[in-house]
Amino acid sequence: AQSVTQPDARVTVSEGASLQLRCKYSYSGTPYLFWYVQYPRQGLQLLLKYYSGDPVVQGVNGFEAEFSKSNSSFHLRKASVHWSDSAVYFCVLSARSNNRIFFGDGTQLVVKP
Amino acid sequence: NTKITQSPRYLILGRANKSLECEQHLGHNAMYWYKQSAEKPPELMFLYNLKQLIRNETVPSRFIPECPDSSKLLLHISAVDPEDSAVYFCASSPHGGLSNERLFFGHGTKLSVL
């Protein structure tokens, strides 16, 4: 079965602190993986994507993510968060076998000043 | 994001009929309708590629999509139900919904059913 799990529904961090948002996936092969961000009252926007190669991928606004096949994970990181990073973050798997897309339930990030 | 425009932005309905509109200015082949209920991820409703409906998820028959050309997408809703209250996003991708494609989303239409 193909699925994405974001175990943390809500994460609260202080501005300037480091951040990790967790994502675990279930897929028999190597999937395409994405992180999208959704700011209030807006559509989703791509942060970064992983296709193959270097397991650490860089995204916009200082975000990066690391793919781990052994752990079936694709965690999102940022060294120092800003209040404007407050949003909902979705981890997304795209299955190479059937082109279907699976969204995690999202993690609400709250950055305290 | 003005590259995918959706109208109207907000919609409040009783049990009426209404259409949502989307237009993308990206030259993409694939267009999608997603439904996002409160505090949930988006759920795919329909996927068109080059004006052809290629994916039709389990959606009530009161939702009827239309793709008059590859840059425009409509969603006709008849006799809305309170469970239809959600934000409806239009999205597009370059080449027909391939697995390695990123999605580009519009700002959504928030439907509130009285």
Side-chain angles (χ1 to χ4, degrees), chain A residues 32 34 36 38 41-46 49 51 90 94-101 103-106, chain B residues 9-10 32 34 36 39-42 44 55 57 89 97-108:
Chain A
Y32 296 117
F34 305 79
Y36 286 85
Q38 186 174 30
R41 295 173 296 283
Q42 294 188 28
L44 281 68
Q45 302 172 39
L46 181 72
K49 59 186 183 290
Y51 291 166
F90 290 98
S94 185
R96 298 179 189 228
S97 56
N98 58 13
N99 295 330
R100 289 197 175 267
I101 297 174
F103 285 80
D105 285 341
Chain B
R9 188 70 187 263
Y10 299 94
Y32 309 68
Y34 277 90
Q36 187 177 31
E39 299 186 6
K40 295 286 187 184
L44 180 65
R55 193 160 288 163
E57 302 299 300
F89 286 103
L98 299 178
S99 58
N100 62 349
E101 293 187 326
R102 60 167 287 190
L103 298 174
F104 294 76
F105 285 83
H107 52 63

Side-chain angles (χ1 to χ4, degrees), chain B:
Chain B
N1 180 8
T2 58
K3 296 178 181 176
I4 300 180
T5 56
Q6 291 186 243
S7 62
R9 188 70 187 263
Y10 299 94
L11 189 57
I12 301 173
L13 291 178
R15 290 186 64 80
N17 302 338
K18 194 65 179 178
S19 296
L20 310 184
E21 299 183 5
C22 172
E23 184 169 11
Q24 55 101 355
H25 308 278
L26 296 165
H28 289 171
N29 291 342
M31 294 190 75
Y32 309 68
W33 279 117
Y34 277 90
K35 174 184 179 183
Q36 187 177 31
S37 301
E39 299 186 6
K40 295 286 187 184
E43 299 174 66
L44 180 65
M45 301 174 73
F46 304 103
L47 165 58
Y48 277 84
N49 182 42
L50 295 171
K51 296 171 56 178
Q52 299 298 311
L53 183 63
I54 62 171
R55 193 160 288 163
N56 182 350
E57 302 299 300
T58 305
V59 175
S61 58
R62 59 182 178 274
F63 290 91
I64 300 175
E66 181 185 355
C67 190
D69 66 61
S70 58
S71 67
K72 292 183 182 172
L73 194 61
L74 306 173
L75 184 63
H76 306 294
I77 315 173
S78 58
V80 291
D81 188 88
E83 71 179 25
D84 299 333
S85 294
V87 180
Y88 291 83
F89 286 103
C90 175
S92 70
S93 65
H95 300 301
L98 299 178
S99 58
N100 62 349
E101 293 187 326
R102 60 167 287 190
L103 298 174
F104 294 76
F105 285 83
H107 52 63
T109 293
K110 184 172 183 178
L111 173 62
S112 300
V113 179
L114 303 176

